[in-house]
Amino acid sequence: MLSKYPLSDVEKSFLQESGVEKISTLIPYLQVDNFPKLGLLTACRFLEWAAANPEGVISLPTGKTPEFFIKWTQFLLTNWETKKGKDVREKYGLGNTKKPVLKDLTFVQIDEFYPISAKQNNSFFDYVNKFYIQGFGLSKEKAILINSDEIPLANGLHFKEVFPDLKVDLSLRFRDPQNDLEKLQQQSIYMIDQWCGEYEQKIRDAGGIGFFLGGIGPDGHIAFNTRGSHLFSVTRLTETNFETQAVAAGDLGGIEVSSNRLVITIGLDTIVYNPDAVAIIIAAGEAKAGIVKDSLETPLNNVFPGTVLQKLKNGRFYLTKGAGVKLTDSVDAYYEKGEWTWEKTERSVIDLCKKLGKYGHRIKLSDLKADKYTRLIPDLSEETVNQVMKSIENKLSKGLEQESNEVLLHTGPHHDDISLGILPHITNQLHEPSNEAHFSVLTSGFTAVTNTFVIDTLLATKRLLDNGKIQMVHFEDFFEVGYSLKTDKDVYHYLTNVASENADQRLRGLCHRVVRALVIVYDIKDKTQLRDTINDVISILKNSYDGEKNSAKVQKLKGMIREFEEELVWAHFGVQVKNVHHLRLGFYTGDIFTEQPDKDRDVEPIVEMFRKVNPTKISLTLDPEGSGPDTHYKVLQATAAAVKKWGEEKDISELRIIGYRNVWFKFEPHEANVIVPVSLGDMSVMEDSFANCYLSQVNASFPSYSHNGKFSTVAKRIWVDQLDAIQLLLGKNYFYQHERAQVRASHGLIFFRDMNVEEFLATARELEKSIEGML
């Protein structure tokens, strides 16, 4: 495969560095260690191509995926002749390349939401102009762009007049309009279709795209060509699917918006029209591993749009190791290279049970010898499966141990992460009175609160103020000091009315806390200023477009709503507000590219919390690189640095670190060393506390792409799936006949990794490497 396709000098350099010896996929791929390195690879290949094709046609991606591609491209162009720039060029196949001039390239915009104003900062038109036209110094005159404001519609009207609710009903292509507005809309849709055809023609008249770089969605979409798109599709106005809408929700201000937006996208045939095109799909993180495997190992198929790159001799996938982890090549290399570990034995046996659909006790030695992975197990015998079963039973035993006299500090990147990850394990700990528990969310989480939620809450607050139902504002010292007192009372009042099923009083509890937050954020001194501020914030949010970056004060207000929600969850178990710590790390800004954690700003507050709480156990999310939201990865870096620093001040050799995962990614059984049984009661507690406390999340404005609903449902399904995998190994009777009631009651399982400090820092060091040597 390596010699079958022509590799450029850049590609040869990265292939050699990767150590990959076998590529058996239907599209060639290159693999790098981490996300920033992926940016370096794509930047080098782009500049190599641009130097050879100074008047070529390019199409580059939007969103968070190209962050390091953009940064490395700018770095190399700026430092082409400096020592650092030359060193990078020499190492990666650009040593003899003349510095490319990008101003004569023709840029083609890949896609855009429709309708959306090009003036909005969350439009792809704005992104392209900011990061590519201006950022790379490309020609605006030559660019082929999608400006929704300028696409002609019936009677010369703007889309806000033709589609006043910003919804486009594509059924009007095929049915008779019912009224005058629908007639206008039908005519306009036909005009958009005509515009799309002309857009496609412009690209083809230019010879087609010469260099295409794109990401891949969770459903496998390339550009907005979702699963099932025609392999010969062209530029068009089209609908998307749920997975794509869920991913776009972050850009557009919620699934309520993204589910009603159509898109204009180039087609799969647009991408491969030029037979000499260099077309590259980039993918980072283990969350993309499944779709990467399907896209690279499946013959041409419209269910996997990425397979269209098989049509090009220069079609490529550029991957991080995490994104390539499920490829047959990678799995083969995992088992065949290096020393054989117990983890490999566990993984291969559990996977064999799945492959054959057989319970562990029914796996025969002949089955083990017939499988290409289990046959590699040293000293393979009839006892091998029993040993794996015993190992899993030991992990379950650890999950049943009763902990006592522990100071527990459970941390999460976002509000709800801890609950969704290990709530049943925490409830076991909280039942023991000698344990002291603290909870800390490390970012303010404001991006998960929609403008609509805040507007509705503030309108309710106004009504309650008008009706004299928020009495605390009448107390003499409320605006001086009273606003900061009795926060536990808000929480208790709220949960009492969860118990009594009084929705009005629950809302009143939320509004009480919102009033306190407004006083803090806006430094309010009296009732008149409070009313004026509420009106101002409502006005600001009503005049903001969905997905617009909020002001710092609105961000803080949204964050404080999320903090109240977190306090409510842990108050279910009697945890006081003082034991719930809100860190609001500074790297979390709501920008498209957030900063890396800073030693003083982001690490020091975590160390200070460690000093104050003095925990004996710390829990944290241990997602693989690039698999969950970007924030998980950055919070882990900051926490690791804080543990290291704290360890320089005191002996923390006895400290235990619990690494958990939740809805964004899950552990495989061989990766975890503790398994905790989950009962139907545990699931109910998690589902109820989520629905009753995470008010801003119940409508799932920013859902997981795997489920159109609450995150708590996703977490529950993961726990159930994890039980299924272990039941296949141990047998169902192991559970329902077990001597412990806790195991007999289990209908789900939680996996996590219990580590000492050295083991944790070794894991975190792998993540640290991903930003070493960066720009």
Side-chain angles (χ1 to χ4, degrees), residues 64 67 71 250 413-414 442-448 547-556 558-559 584-598 601-602 630-631 634-635:
K64 291 192 174 187
E67 175 181 2
K71 287 179 177 175
H414 304 90
L442 276 66
T443 71
S444 80
F446 59 80
T447 58
E548 183 173 358
K549 186 181 174 183
N550 298 128
S551 67
K553 286 187 174 179
V554 172
Q555 286 181 351
K556 190 172 180 183
K558 285 184 170 184
R584 306 175 187 168
L585 297 187
F587 76 82
Y588 188 85
T589 59
D591 293 317
I592 187 151
F593 301 143
T594 55
E595 302 169 46
Q596 292 296 329
D598 176 80
R601 182 194 61 201
D602 299 314
D630 186 41
T631 306
K634 291 178 178 175
V635 162

Side-chain angles (χ1 to χ4, degrees), residues 76-321:
L76 286 167
L77 287 171
T78 306
N79 293 277
W80 200 263
E81 295 300 339
T82 67
K83 183 180 185 309
K84 194 171 179 186
K86 278 183 177 175
D87 287 348
V88 173
R89 290 198 294 115
E90 287 289 340
K91 187 173 181 181
Y92 294 114
L94 288 172
N96 299 320
T97 305
K98 193 178 168 194
K99 181 179 177 180
V101 177
L102 306 184
K103 67 180 178 64
D104 295 321
L105 294 170
T106 297
F107 184 91
V108 172
Q109 186 174 334
I110 294 175
D111 47 25
E112 182 61 279
F113 300 112
Y114 190 86
I116 188 170
S117 173
K119 299 179 186 73
Q120 290 184 199
N121 289 334
N122 60 344
S123 72
F124 292 156
F125 180 87
D126 181 81
Y127 183 109
V128 160
N129 275 280
K130 186 184 298 173
F131 292 112
Y132 294 135
I133 306 296
Q134 293 165 26
F136 286 6
L138 301 174
S139 162
K140 189 151 194 175
E141 292 68 41
K142 293 182 79 170
I144 303 172
L145 303 178
I146 306 170
N147 182 333
S148 296
D149 293 315
E150 294 178 358
I151 296 174
L153 303 177
N155 300 344
L157 297 172
H158 188 264
F159 65 69
K160 286 181 182 170
E161 299 165 286
V162 178
F163 307 107
D165 57 0
L166 302 182
K167 293 181 184 175
V168 182
D169 181 0
L170 289 183
S171 73
L172 282 165
R173 279 180 176 150
F174 315 111
R175 66 173 175 84
D176 290 337
Q178 303 297 304
N179 50 49
D180 288 343
L181 179 60
E182 283 201 344
K183 282 179 188 171
L184 264 182
Q185 291 175 337
Q186 184 183 63
Q187 192 182 342
S188 296
I189 289 168
Y190 291 150
M191 291 175 75
I192 297 167
D193 290 342
Q194 174 69 19
W195 183 91
C196 288
E198 291 165 3
Y199 190 88
E200 179 77 20
Q201 193 60 54
K202 282 183 194 171
I203 297 169
R204 297 193 176 213
D205 287 346
I209 297 167
F211 185 94
F212 173 86
L213 180 63
I216 187 166
D219 69 319
H221 71 245
I222 306 297
F224 274 126
N225 296 284
T226 54
R227 183 182 57 247
S229 293
H230 202 296
L231 291 170
F232 291 91
S233 54
V234 293
T235 303
R236 64 205 183 280
L237 175 69
T238 185
E239 296 170 334
T240 56
N241 55 15
F242 171 72
E243 295 101 320
T244 306
Q245 292 160 8
V247 173
D251 295 318
L252 293 177
I255 192 75
E256 304 89 345
V257 183
S258 61
S259 62
N260 288 311
R261 275 294 185 283
L262 300 188
V263 293
I264 292 174
T265 180
I266 63 173
L268 294 174
D269 201 53
T270 320
I271 295 168
V272 300
Y273 172 73
N274 177 352
D276 296 318
V278 170
I280 298 163
I281 299 300
I282 49 176
E286 289 188 30
K288 294 283 174 71
I291 195 61
V292 164
K293 175 182 171 67
D294 289 333
S295 300
L296 287 176
E297 296 185 359
T298 307
L300 268 174
N301 191 311
N302 67 336
V303 177
F304 304 114
T307 59
V308 77
L309 265 60
Q310 291 173 31
K311 294 183 175 186
L312 296 173
K313 62 179 183 288
N314 290 313
R316 303 281 188 273
F317 270 60
Y318 290 174
L319 314 169
T320 63
K321 276 188 177 167

Side-chain angles (χ1 to χ4, degrees), residues 461-470 473 530-531 534:
T461 304
K462 252 172 71 168
R463 280 196 305 275
L464 289 168
L465 285 167
D466 290 344
N467 296 328
K469 294 289 177 64
I470 300 185
V473 299
L530 174 61
R531 180 172 299 283
I534 290 173

